[in-house]
Amino acid sequence: MENKKFDEIKKSLEEDLKDVEDLKVLDDLRIKYLGKKGLITELNSEIKNVPNEEKKEFGMKVNELKDQFNTFYDSVKERLDQAALNERLEKEAIDISLPSTKVPVGAPHILEKVIEEVEEVFLSMGYDVVDGPEIEEDKYNFEMLNIPKGHPARDAQDTFYIEGEEILLRSQTSPVQVRTMLKGEGKVPIRMICPGKTYRRDDDDASHSHQFMQIEGLLVDKNISLSDLKGTMDVLFKRLFGKDVETRFRPSYYQFTEPSVEVDITCVNCHGKGCNVCKHTGWVTVVGAGVVHPNVLRMSGYDPDVWSGFAFGFGAERLAMMKYDINDIRTFYNADLREAKVFDREDEE
Ligand code: DAH
C-alpha cells in the first residue's frame, strides 16, 4: 500500500514538475508537496503506522522524494530568477547612443585667471604665494608699515573698522609684508606675493569697488635697489601683455617705501600711440611700489643697515580690465553668467 502511494506521488511529482515557467506556480508546488499539509509531509507523518522493521526504508524513500523535489525546485528557481533579472536589466538598460541633456560647464572667473597668471610669473622667479587675514589689526595694516595713528596717509584709505580702532578689514594687502617678515625671523631672502581681497569705504562705480583684489609683493635680500624692481616689473608685464610692452617709473610717495614710485606700462589698448584708455599719454599706471622703508624693515626684525628690499602692490581688476577690455569694475562682481561666458569664449579663441 505504501509503495503504491510512493509511486503515485512520484508520478504526480514528475508530471507537475514538467515545464514550470513561473515562480508562482513553483511556489504553489512547494506548498502542494512540502507545505504543512503537503503530500510528502503527510506521507512522512504516516511513518508512525509503519512496522518498525520497515521504518528505516520508509524514511529513506520519503527523503528521496523530498530531495527530488528540492533539487528540482532549486534549479528551476535559479533559472527563473536569472531570467527575471535579465529581463529587468534589459528593461532598465541605458541607450548610451542617445544625446544627453547638456550640463553647463563652469569656468574660472576671469579675475582668478589673471591672478593665476601673475602667480605663475612670480613662482617661476622663485617667489612664494602667501595668504593673510582679511580681518586685520591696525598694527599690521598701518602702524608697522610706518603709518602711525593720526597720520594723514590713513585718510587716503577709507577703512572699514570693525572693533574700535584696532580691528579692521584690511585696506591693502601690504600688512602681509609685515606678517611675512615677522615669520621670516630675520632670514633671507624673502620673496613673496600675496593676492587677496581688500576693502575700502568707497562708493561703487565704474572704477571703484568697496571690495577689490590686490596683489602685494615683497623681496628682501642684500643690495636690493630700484633697478631690481624695474627688472621684475619688466618681466611681469612682458609676460602678461607681450614683449613690446615697456615699463617706466614715476616718483611717488608711500609711507612704507623710500623712494616710492608709480609703475606705468605702455597702453595695451593703443600700444603707446595714445587713446581714450590712456588719456592720450600712451601710458597707464598699474602699480605702486618702492624700496622698503628702513623703519618698516627695522620694525619687523630686519636690520636696514644689512638688508634691503623692494615692495609693490597693484589691483588685479585693473589688469583684468586691460586684458579683457572691460570698462566697469562692477563687471567682476555682479555674477552675471552671460558676461562670464563671453570672456571665457574670447579666451579660448
Ligand atoms: N598698498 C598700496 C595701496 O594700496 C600699494 C602699494 C604701494 C603696495 C607701494 C606696496 C608698495 O607694497 O611698496 O595703494
Side-chain angles (χ1 to χ4, degrees), residues 24-285:
K24 171 86 172 72
V25 174
L26 184 68
D27 213 50
D28 288 346
L29 285 176
R30 192 181 54 78
I31 295 166
K32 177 175 172 185
Y33 288 97
L34 291 175
K36 246 193 206 153
K37 290 189 173 151
L39 292 173
I40 300 176
T41 318
E42 281 191 338
L43 189 63
N44 194 31
S45 66
E46 278 174 29
I47 197 162
K48 56 184 182 294
N49 306 324
V50 175
N52 273 350
E53 62 275 17
E54 290 172 25
K55 273 194 181 14
K56 189 175 168 197
E57 200 194 336
F58 184 91
M60 275 166 61
K61 280 177 127 180
V62 172
N63 281 342
E64 247 171 56
L65 279 179
K66 261 195 213 168
D67 284 349
Q68 193 183 350
F69 182 86
N70 283 334
T71 312
F72 173 83
Y73 180 90
D74 287 348
S75 81
V76 174
K77 178 129 175 39
E78 196 187 318
R79 179 165 56 78
L80 293 182
D81 278 348
Q82 187 62 47
L85 179 67
N86 286 346
E87 193 182 334
R88 217 185 76 211
L89 287 178
E90 211 162 289
K91 242 199 299 191
E92 291 174 2
I94 297 166
D95 180 356
I96 54 167
S97 66
L98 275 177
S100 67
T101 34
K102 231 180 166 196
V103 180
V105 180
H109 195 284
I110 36 177
L111 200 48
E112 200 52 43
K113 281 203 234 179
V114 170
I115 291 169
E116 268 173 27
E117 270 184 65
V118 172
E119 285 179 359
E120 258 166 48
V121 175
F122 281 102
L123 284 169
S124 76
M125 293 193 281
Y127 282 64
D128 292 326
V129 178
V130 305
D131 240 349
E134 287 169 37
I135 296 173
E136 189 50 286
E137 293 176 44
D138 182 275
K139 180 170 82 174
Y140 300 117
N141 195 76
F142 289 125
E143 268 176 58
M144 292 182 75
L145 287 165
N146 205 29
I147 314 175
K149 287 223 164 66
H151 195 282
R154 287 177 178 233
D155 299 343
Q157 303 191 359
D158 223 343
T159 309
F160 284 111
Y161 282 91
I162 299 177
E163 271 176 37
E165 291 192 337
E166 299 307 325
I167 309 290
L168 45 82
L169 286 177
R170 69 179 173 197
S171 58
Q172 49 186 352
T173 40
S174 304
V176 185
Q177 283 186 30
V178 176
R179 288 180 173 274
T180 307
M181 282 191 274
L182 291 174
K183 235 196 208 155
E185 293 172 334
K187 290 193 199 77
V188 286
I190 289 178
R191 275 179 298 215
M192 74 82 180
I193 60 162
C194 169
K197 289 190 185 117
T198 44
Y199 303 84
R200 286 186 199 172
R201 281 173 39 203
D202 276 329
D203 290 332
D204 293 354
D205 60 27
S207 50
H208 293 87
S209 171
H210 63 281
Q211 179 232 295
F212 55 103
M213 270 286 178
Q214 232 181 23
I215 303 180
E216 187 75 19
L218 172 71
L219 182 140
V220 180
D221 208 335
K222 255 188 184 153
N223 302 320
I224 299 301
S225 71
L226 270 189
S227 61
D228 298 301
L229 175 66
K230 180 79 164 60
T232 306
M233 293 291 111
D234 264 346
V235 170
L236 172 64
F237 291 108
K238 281 188 197 309
R239 290 268 293 269
L240 286 183
F241 293 113
K243 285 204 173 65
D244 56 340
V245 170
E246 307 276 338
T247 54
R248 75 173 185 191
F249 283 179
R250 282 181 301 107
S252 185
Y253 178 77
Y254 294 101
Q255 276 297 119
F256 33 92
T257 41
E258 180 56 39
S260 303
V261 296
E262 305 282 325
V263 184
D264 295 349
I265 61 172
T266 37
C267 177
V268 290
N269 190 48
C270 62
H271 302 279
K273 287 189 205 85
C275 68
N276 280 340
V277 174
C278 58
K279 298 195 182 83
H280 303 281
T281 62
W283 296 93
V284 280
T285 305

Side-chain angles (χ1 to χ4, degrees), residues 110 113 117 323-324 341-349:
I110 36 177
K113 281 203 234 179
E117 270 184 65
K323 196 164 170 110
Y324 291 95
K341 279 201 188 104
V342 171
F343 294 124
D344 197 43
R345 225 174 297 131
E346 277 176 2
D347 212 37
E348 277 166 14
E349 280 163 9

